Amino acid sequence: MFLGHFGLGFGAKKAAPTVSLGALFLACQLANVFGPPPTSVNAIGWAAQAMWLLVIWGYWIDRHRTASS
């Protein structure tokens, strides 16, 4: 979720180039603080387990990259 919010900030920078990147990051992080509460404890558990997919994806990318010359 943390990285996703930074991704939203970078995407918003392209749409609104006059706004500072720090302000966009802050606005995206505040959406996490003031957003709706989780629907259940199971939703929190599934979200935590799904974050491991990001780790596996990063490992796969690292294993399949080639050296640039």
Side-chain angles (χ1 to χ4, degrees), residues 22-61:
L24 292 171
F25 283 165
L26 182 63
C28 291
Q29 291 299 325
L30 286 176
N32 189 25
V33 173
F34 296 110
T39 56
S40 68
V41 175
N42 286 336
I44 297 171
W46 279 106
Q49 293 297 323
M51 286 184 213
W52 279 104
L53 293 175
L54 187 65
V55 174
I56 294 168
W57 181 56
Y59 175 77
W60 184 86
I61 288 173

